[in-house]
Amino acid sequence: MTSIDLKYNPYTRTKSLCIDGKEQANDVLSKLCGADGTELSEWVANFFDSVIKHCNDAICVTFSGITRDYDFLEDAAKKSKCASDVRLEKGNVVDVADRLTELKELFKKMQEETPFESLKSDEVKRLFEKATDSEFEMAVVATMSSGKSTLINAMLGRELLPARNEATTANIARIHDIDGEEHFRAESFDRDGKEIEAVDPLTPDEMNRLNNIDGEHPASVVEIYGDIPGIESTNIRLALCDTPGPNNSRTSEHEKHTMDLLNADYKPMIIYVLNGTQLETNDDSILLDNVARLVKSGDRQSRDRFLFVLNRADEFDPDKGESVAKKIDDVKRYLFEKHGIENPRVFPTSAKLAKVIRQTQCNDPALTSKDTRFLKGESGIDAFVEEERMHFTQFADFLSPSTDKELNERIEKARHDNDEDALALLYSGVPSIELAITEYLSKYALPAKITEGVYSFKEKIDALGIEAQAKNELAGNEQKMREMQKNLSLIKASLSKGDKAKEVKKQIESLTVKYKLDVALASVGTKLLSSFGSTIQDMKKKVHTDTARAYIQNIKMRLPKITADFTSSVEKTLDVVMRSQAEQCVMNYKKYVEELIGSVSYDIPAASILGDVATITVDEAVDAYAHEEEVKVGSHTEKKSGFGHSFLRAITFGLYKGEKTVDDYETQEFVDFSKYIDDILYPEIEKFEKETRDVATNWANDEASKFKIFFLGKLAQLDVAIKMKVEEMEKTLSDSKKTEKMIAENKRNLEWLASFTIELDNILSI
């Protein structure tokens, strides 16, 4: 058996592979473990089979890394074609749970103790706080009458959100998990983001009132704060977002919010709740088609972020041949055949049982006598405890081994304590969903936050270290001092001449977003027309008037989703194009600094003379530039297009008000629907697409101009900063006492940097 030692660091995305104690070269490493910089989840599926083929032998793999990646390896080992020839063992496997807290404490220590003023700047603080923001949003969407509100109330442990048969979620409710809170409070906002009122405490009656679309000041978003008991949020706080259902979105903004979460770079979770008793009715095809696209993108996280909840699983009737296992297979087949979603994670639940048990446990005043009778009924606690078919935990086979172990330990404890309420709650399936959410946060959100937090200031630390080391080499070295003085004079002369500054300014001024934007927007425009085309493709040319009205109803229902997906894609495109421009500007900025120093000597790192003045990151540039402008994309693309109002009104009333199409044919009871599509719908869709592209292009060009002005200003600031730095060093080196003082201070700075760097590296260590 061949011995394999695999080490993977998710923070630095570095890996090493030893076979029988011999470290493998890069070509072998890339062949067996993916290209440089790739995540373990991207190549782990084929790892064991590839290594066995390479070694032509059974293997024992010892892994060092984080728990998440060990779970991935364990899963891949089980699914390997050569599973019998694989043994997997733990080396140094660490949990990341406390690393984010450690990083925040280390950053606070840096702010208090660092001798470098630049590390205390508001800019550094802002970038770090933005990178380590502990809130992680997750959307809950559902088919009609699926019990979505009941599921969320079950997770909250009390009746809070409206839960009626008709479509009731008229606004977006975002529930922020704050551990330890004894009650919930809320703040409501209109569609322009203006606060309407604060409610404390929040009761079901107050929530119903806030959700009233016919009120004097209807709320568009309700921000709710309180404890979600089943979710662990010590390191990352969950924001549970309840959005209007597929058939009940008041505005395209509500639809777009879900699409924005779907397309977000940080890959937030999406929980899709299905009515187990009515699988193929009222589904949101556009959303599910987008889910399929993302699931097919390839990496493990893209699959893990979607949870499908098969609610009302307790209502299946075994006497009619219904079973949970069969229904899960039906869901998987339905999602694959109709939407192309492969291997979905499906969790059967009884949200109602979980909700009522938790209401009982917390003495929720909203608990009714009917709810109490439900617990004692034939589908209540006794049934879930005694009947194995109601043990929904047995179907939570997508949980990692460590999380599955925790779930089983909870079950064993409830059995040992004869706690039937706790046991039935676990079997209801809701705690399994909560564990899957907690698992996702620890697997993906935490490592990402840690990495982003470190790199928000690490480049500055590295540059300051290079500068401090260069100064340290001056101690007692007259030749080094003379070389430094000479170099400083040459840099000063180069600055005064200004040739290099003119060149880089010209490069920045010549940057344009037009070509990239035109290509990208044409792509999303094609997607819009394709989505609309798929909506109407089955609509026949000549139909009965009643069928025509049904067609219109179908279009009315799906158009807000199509346009929400389009506007979300436009905004995403703008973000990508503008960030691309930022990257180009940063590259030109850094090149300017390197060439400025390079004109003196190509052996001198820019940071050795300029310290962190020589650095600027893309995130730093985007944040400094964009934080005052970030709201503009949505307001322009949505509010100025007019599609969300005038065109939807045309769709709503067009056939009935221009019932000329219907009226002309009413005597024959038929409608030429293709004429309606060609004469009214397609022209309006194309007009909307063009108007939105024009607005987006104009906005982007305007922002690009401002962006250039910003960067030219940064270059001017850089010239001033470099000049000041050079003059300061010249004065110091020309005065022996100042030089001695600088070297002594620099020695202390180096000691601090060395100590701090060790602590920082420990955060990222495996």
Side-chain angles (χ1 to χ4, degrees):
M1 180 172 277
T2 302
S3 175
I4 307 292
D5 289 295
L6 173 66
K7 183 176 181 180
Y8 176 74
N9 188 322
Y11 309 119
T12 58
R13 291 194 180 183
T14 54
K15 51 188 176 280
S16 64
L17 183 72
C18 292
I19 299 179
D20 282 336
K22 183 179 179 182
E23 186 157 352
Q24 300 302 296
N26 283 337
D27 58 337
V28 176
L29 192 62
S30 297
K31 178 183 176 183
L32 301 178
C33 303
D36 286 348
T38 54
E39 294 245 20
L40 180 141
S41 61
E42 296 176 46
W43 46 264
V44 69
N46 300 316
F47 173 72
F48 293 102
D49 292 336
S50 298
V51 173
I52 287 173
K53 183 178 179 181
H54 179 80
C55 298
N56 195 28
D57 190 14
I59 58 174
C60 176
V61 178
T62 302
F63 175 71
S64 295
I66 66 173
T67 304
R68 173 198 74 182
D69 293 330
Y70 182 82
D71 287 342
F72 288 163
L73 281 162
E74 199 168 33
D75 184 51
K78 290 177 183 176
K79 295 176 180 177
S80 168
K81 296 175 184 176
C82 310
S84 59
D85 292 327
V86 174
R87 195 166 82 211
L88 179 64
E89 297 180 352
K90 287 185 178 181
N92 179 33
V93 177
V94 299
D95 194 345
V96 301
D98 299 323
R99 292 287 174 94
L100 186 60
T101 301
E102 291 172 12
L103 178 61
K104 290 180 178 179
E105 290 173 353
L106 183 61
F107 185 81
K108 182 180 178 183
K109 178 181 177 182
M110 181 186 81
Q111 295 288 297
E112 293 171 350
E113 299 178 1
T114 181
F116 300 99
E117 289 300 316
S118 60
L119 293 179
K120 300 178 183 178
S121 69
D122 290 340
E123 186 176 29
V124 170
K125 290 177 186 175
R126 185 173 65 249
L127 285 170
F128 180 78
E129 288 168 2
K130 183 178 178 181
T132 57
D133 175 20
S134 63
E135 191 156 89
F136 186 91
E137 190 167 350
M138 180 184 76
V140 185
V141 295
T143 55
M144 290 288 289
S145 303
S146 62
K148 176 186 67 169
S149 296
T150 304
L151 175 65
I152 296 175
N153 285 333
M155 295 173 69
L156 301 182
R158 64 197 71 197
E159 192 81 47
L160 190 64
L161 300 185
R164 299 191 292 270
N165 287 331
E166 67 271 22
T168 58
T169 310
N171 51 41
I172 294 172
R174 193 181 288 108
I175 306 156
H176 305 263
D177 184 22
I178 303 178
D179 287 350
E181 288 286 299
E182 294 183 357
H183 65 272
F184 286 86
R185 58 185 174 83
E187 297 169 352
S188 63
F189 299 85
D190 63 20
R191 61 180 300 175
D192 295 321
K194 183 179 179 182
E195 184 174 352
I196 300 172
E197 64 175 309
V199 178
D200 188 4
L202 179 64
T203 64
D205 288 342
E206 290 290 342
M207 189 62 202
N208 267 311
R209 182 177 61 79
L210 293 176
N211 203 47
N212 180 12
I213 63 173
D214 298 321
E216 186 178 350
H217 300 291
S220 179
V221 177
V222 179
E223 304 286 355
I224 301 172
Y225 303 87
D227 191 359
I228 304 177
I231 304 293
E232 170 58 49
S233 60
T234 303
N235 295 287
I236 291 186
R237 189 171 71 244
L238 182 70
L240 196 63
C241 184
D242 178 25
T243 57
N247 302 325
N248 189 45
S249 181
R250 252 172 49 232
T251 71
S252 59
E253 291 171 8
H254 290 165
E255 296 283 0
K256 194 177 78 65
H257 184 79
T258 301
M259 291 299 177
D260 287 345
L261 287 177
L262 206 65
N263 295 321
D265 289 333
Y266 70 100
K267 297 182 180 178
M269 291 189 83
I270 307 289
I271 293 183
Y272 196 96
V273 188
L274 295 154
N275 183 344
T277 63
Q278 299 175 0
L279 278 183
E280 299 196 27
T281 59
N282 299 317
D283 73 324
D284 191 342
S285 297
I286 294 168
L287 175 65
L288 291 175
D289 288 345
N290 274 288
V291 169
R293 172 178 55 82
L294 294 167
V295 168
K296 291 175 183 175
S297 65
D299 68 336
R300 177 70 176 263
Q301 186 178 0
S302 294
R303 182 180 73 90
D304 286 355
R305 64 183 291 211
F306 298 106
L307 303 184
F308 292 91
V309 175
L310 182 62
N311 197 22
R312 299 182 174 174
D314 52 321
E315 297 179 22
F316 302 149
D317 188 349
D319 293 336
K320 295 180 180 179
E322 297 176 344
S323 70
V324 175
K326 183 178 182 302
K327 285 288 186 178
I328 289 175
D329 287 342
D330 289 345
V331 169
K332 290 181 177 180
R333 184 170 58 253
Y334 157 67
L335 291 174
F336 177 70
E337 291 178 356
K338 192 168 182 181
H339 300 288
I341 298 173
E342 298 184 64
N343 301 315
R345 300 202 296 166
V346 182
F347 289 79
T349 64
S350 171
K352 183 177 180 180
L353 181 84
K355 176 182 75 74
V356 178
I357 290 175
R358 282 180 168 162
Q359 281 183 278
T360 304
Q361 291 173 336
C362 72
N363 297 315
D364 183 11
L367 184 69
T368 66
S369 57
K370 183 179 178 181
D371 290 333
T372 304
R373 289 195 301 273
F374 166 73
L375 286 184
K376 297 176 182 178
E378 61 179 18
S379 296
I381 289 175
D382 288 347
F384 273 82
V385 171
E386 296 169 6
E387 297 184 37
E388 188 175 350
R389 69 183 181 88
M390 307 288 261
H391 297 179
F392 298 154
T393 49
Q394 64 186 295
F395 301 103
D397 55 354
F398 293 101
L399 297 176
S400 68
S402 57
T403 303
D404 186 57
K405 180 182 177 183
E406 181 181 347
L407 178 61
N408 287 322
E409 286 174 351
R410 290 187 188 183
I411 292 172
E412 288 305 314
K413 184 179 185 304
R415 284 176 177 163
H416 180 270
D417 297 343
N418 291 318
D419 189 342
E420 291 192 344
D421 285 8
L423 192 56
L425 176 62
L426 288 163
Y427 285 149
S428 75
V430 171
S432 299
I433 295 169
E434 293 165 340
L435 284 169
I437 294 169
T438 301
E439 180 178 288
Y440 186 87
L441 294 178
S442 64
K443 273 185 176 182
Y444 300 108
L446 260 179
K449 293 289 183 186
I450 292 165
T451 303
E452 291 165 16
V454 168
Y455 286 98
S456 69
F457 62 87
K458 191 176 188 303
E459 189 169 349
K460 290 186 179 294
I461 291 284
D462 291 344
L464 289 168
I466 293 171
E467 179 189 23
Q469 188 58 47
K471 288 180 179 178
N472 192 53
E473 293 173 1
L474 297 177
N477 193 326
E478 291 293 330
Q479 182 180 349
K480 282 274 186 185
M481 285 191 192
R482 286 194 296 272
E483 287 178 1
M484 177 68 85
Q485 286 173 319
K486 179 183 177 182
N487 290 334
L488 290 170
S489 297
L490 290 171
I491 291 170
K492 196 173 178 181
S494 182
L495 272 174
S496 299
K497 191 175 181 182
D499 289 346
K500 294 188 182 299
K502 288 177 184 176
E503 185 179 336
V504 76
K505 286 175 184 176
K506 186 177 179 181
Q507 289 172 341
I508 289 175
E509 286 171 343
S510 66
L511 286 175
T512 177
V513 299
K514 186 178 187 311
Y515 175 72
K516 284 185 178 179
L517 194 62
D518 286 347
V519 171
L521 289 179
S523 175
V524 293
T526 301
K527 181 182 173 185
L528 168 72
L529 295 173
S530 174
S531 296
F532 179 67
S534 65
T535 295
I536 63 171
Q537 65 182 354
D538 295 327
M539 295 179 180
K540 298 176 183 177
K541 180 177 179 180
K542 183 178 285 190
V543 294
H544 190 277
T545 52
D546 290 341
T547 303
R549 288 188 174 90
Y551 282 175
I552 289 293
Q553 201 62 32
N554 180 284
I555 293 171
K556 280 168 55 182
M557 182 181 75
R558 299 188 65 183
L559 270 177
K561 305 172 198 317
I562 294 173
T563 55
D565 186 24
F566 175 67
T567 51
S568 177
S569 298
V570 167
E571 289 189 15
K572 178 78 172 176
T573 298
L574 291 176
D575 287 342
V576 169
V577 171
M578 295 306 289
R579 187 170 185 85
S580 172
Q581 174 155 294
E583 289 169 352
Q584 185 64 50
C585 287
V586 166
M587 186 176 72
N588 289 339
Y589 183 100
K590 289 181 176 180
K591 184 180 178 184
Y592 167 55
V593 174
E594 289 165 3
E595 289 183 351
L596 186 67
I597 305 301
S599 64
V600 176
S601 169
Y602 287 104
D603 297 328
I604 303 175
S608 67
I609 296 175
L610 304 178
D612 66 340
V613 171
T615 71
I616 183 171
T617 66
V618 175
D619 285 335
E620 183 180 349
V622 170
D623 184 71
Y625 166 72
H627 72 278
E628 293 180 351
E629 306 290 340
E630 59 188 4
V631 297
K632 285 192 175 180
V633 181
S635 62
H636 280 291
T637 55
E638 282 210 297
K639 293 180 183 175
K640 290 194 177 180
S641 69
F643 182 78
H645 301 286
S646 60
F647 180 46
L648 285 184
R649 277 201 296 273
I651 293 298
T652 304
F653 302 114
L655 187 58
Y656 305 103
K657 171 180 146 191
E659 298 177 57
K660 291 188 176 178
T661 308
V662 173
D663 289 342
D664 287 347
Y665 288 87
E666 267 186 355
T667 55
Q668 300 175 19
E669 298 295 324
F670 284 96
V671 173
D672 187 348
F673 202 75
S674 63
K675 183 173 175 58
Y676 177 75
I677 290 171
D678 292 340
D679 292 352
I680 297 178
L681 297 189
Y682 261 125
E684 288 288 351
I685 284 282
E686 290 170 347
K687 179 183 177 185
F688 164 67
E689 188 267 343
K690 182 182 183 304
E691 286 179 353
T692 304
R693 284 177 61 179
D694 289 346
V695 169
T697 301
N698 291 337
W699 179 88
N701 288 335
D702 185 44
E703 297 304 285
S705 298
K706 294 176 184 176
F707 203 87
K708 291 174 187 178
I709 293 170
F710 163 77
F711 254 97
L712 292 174
K714 287 294 285 186
L715 282 172
Q717 292 172 20
L718 175 66
D719 285 354
V720 171
I722 292 175
K723 187 178 180 182
M724 289 176 62
K725 192 90 173 177
V726 168
E727 289 176 350
E728 179 188 344
M729 282 291 293
E730 281 183 325
K731 288 178 182 177
T732 299
L733 293 175
S734 65
D735 187 319
S736 58
K737 289 184 178 180
K738 286 183 178 180
T739 301
E740 289 174 8
K741 183 180 178 182
M742 177 198 73
I743 290 172
E745 287 179 352
N746 188 66
K747 185 178 180 182
R748 291 192 293 272
N749 291 351
L750 261 179
E751 290 171 354
W752 180 88
L753 276 169
S755 174
F756 183 82
T757 301
I758 289 172
E759 292 184 82
L760 188 60
D761 288 343
N762 285 338
I763 297 287
L764 300 182
S765 67
I766 296 298

